Amino acid sequence: MSEVAYERVQMNLERLRLTRIGDHLDGIAEEAARHEWTYLQFLDQLLEAEVAARYERDVAMKTKLAHFPFVKVLEQFDFAFQPSINERQVRELATLRFIAQAENVLLLGPPGVGKTHLAIALGVAAVAQATSVYFTSIADLLEVIHRDAKEDRLAHRLHTLCKPKLLILDEMGYFPLDRLAAQFLFQLVSRRYLKGSIILTSNKSYGEWGDIFTDQVLAAAILDRLLHHSVTLNIRGQSYRLREKRKAGVFTDFAEPEKEDQPV
Ligand code: ADP
Ligand code: MG
């Protein structure tokens, strides 16, 4: 290729923002010559490189936007430790069909049984397929919406939280929600209903949701929409965190989780 043509190609690749092709043009062209690729094979390799690079960038960006507090994957989860979890059901969820069908996943159980781990692992799997995810704890969300309420930005927040295909709401139930929070959650769940998935984790059984929301009617309305197209995993077992401590000799025996922490 003449110098002029080469420079024009590089310039046009830059203009079209085909940066990966620009970076790898020389290498791929040499390989093409060595293996006597057809023109079509050559073009195919260039485009594959560019598409792969864009996908990587997309996943990196979505990982950032997801706000995971830490990264956990399913491979790190010891199913043998938590026999109340149906491994096949979790693996089915990891296919992410539930997101395509805008279904919700509710992970219930006492502290330390792996609810957040599983929620993040499903979120990480979704991001790896370039699906948009947003993770927030209920505590952080409450802080945000109270600030938003003062700044008259609640509608905007609602809009933003409806965008990701998967919204993870972690730790519902550790403290009661006031009326503003309950109404906001009702709107959020209603807006996302049949449109975008929610994974919600809670240490409270459904029967105890009235206590979280103080308003029984609102609690029932939220549950109604959340549960209509949903999968619930009721985890009943020992805390993995305490197991680590017990191994270290901090505990000699396990106390069973408090009765009120046990989901029905
Ligand atoms: P929860 O959200 O139910 O309170 P977490 O998901 O935060 O519990 O789990 C507590 C810690 O124990 C995390 O570091 C998590 O990765 C780990 N963990 C919990 N269950 C398991 C498990 N079955 N296999 C491996 N790690 C686990
Ligand atoms: Mg948790």
Side-chain angles (χ1 to χ4, degrees):
M1 194 166 16
S2 76
E3 284 275 311
V4 179
Y6 183 78
E7 271 171 29
R8 195 169 51 230
V9 167
Q10 287 290 2
M11 203 172 68
N12 283 333
L13 287 174
E14 209 168 296
R15 272 193 192 142
L16 294 169
R17 298 184 207 286
L18 298 169
T19 50
R20 178 67 70 96
I21 293 183
D23 292 344
H24 293 271
L25 181 60
D26 297 351
I28 296 176
E30 274 167 30
E31 220 183 319
R34 212 169 32 244
H35 298 289
E36 299 186 356
W37 286 349
T38 62
Y39 297 121
L40 194 62
Q41 278 176 310
F42 178 55
L43 183 62
D44 179 44
Q45 289 299 310
L46 291 178
L47 294 179
E48 281 286 308
E50 188 62 40
V51 168
R54 288 195 183 186
Y55 196 75
E56 281 164 31
R57 277 202 298 271
D58 193 20
V59 168
M61 175 59 75
K62 288 199 162 96
T63 303
K64 237 168 138 178
L65 292 174
H67 281 98
F68 295 124
F70 45 83
V71 169
K72 289 280 176 183
V73 293
L74 220 48
E75 287 66 36
Q76 292 169 296
F77 198 80
D78 180 2
F79 285 94
F81 180 76
Q82 215 56 267
S84 68
I85 298 177
N86 181 341
E87 180 173 352
R88 192 196 50 75
Q89 194 178 22
V90 175
R91 301 231 173 260
E92 163 66 27
L93 290 173
T95 65
L96 307 176
R97 247 213 338 240
F98 77 98
I99 298 179
Q101 294 170 348
E103 288 174 0
N104 299 324
V105 177
L106 291 106
L107 301 168
L108 308 183
V113 294
K115 302 182 297 295
T116 303
H117 184 136
L118 290 175
I120 290 178
L122 292 173
V124 167
V127 162
Q129 291 194 10
T131 298
S132 52
V133 178
Y134 186 71
F135 178 105
T136 177
S137 70
I138 292 287
D140 286 349
L141 181 63
L142 290 193
E143 212 180 296
V144 161
I145 61 175
H146 279 97
R147 201 171 57 224
D148 286 342
K150 282 191 201 119
E151 295 167 7
D152 201 16
R153 287 170 53 85
L154 273 179
H156 182 256
R157 181 69 54 190
L158 197 58
H159 183 70
T160 308
L161 289 172
C162 285
K163 279 191 176 162
K165 286 223 172 296
L166 172 63
L167 177 66
I168 303 176
L169 300 174
D170 195 31
E171 298 192 337
M172 171 79 93
Y174 279 103
F175 43 84
L177 304 177
D178 59 17
R179 189 140 190 93
L180 174 74
Q183 283 174 343
F184 184 85
L185 273 172
F186 173 72
Q187 286 185 17
L188 182 57
V189 168
S190 303
R191 287 258 203 116
R192 291 188 64 92
Y193 179 63
L194 303 180
K195 295 203 189 88
S197 296
I198 294 176
I199 296 180
L200 184 138
T201 79
S202 180
N203 63 329
K204 291 279 194 291
S205 66
Y206 298 139
E208 296 166 308
W209 273 45
D211 303 337
I212 312 174
F213 284 90
T214 50
D215 181 331
Q216 302 278 344
V217 178
L218 211 46
I222 291 173
L223 266 178
D224 185 57
R225 282 157 183 77
L226 261 183
L227 297 183
H228 190 199
H229 295 283
S230 70
V231 174
T232 297
L233 268 73
N234 246 321
I235 313 173
R236 299 157 186 277
Q238 294 184 330
S239 164
Y240 198 84
R241 286 194 199 98
L242 293 188
R243 181 193 90 140
E244 309 265 277
K245 292 225 164 62
R246 187 168 64 165
K247 265 192 182 166
V250 179
F251 292 99
T252 47
D253 199 7
F254 260 114
E256 275 297 305
E258 293 285 311
K259 193 86 190 108
E260 60 263 30
D261 274 353
Q262 285 280 22
V264 277

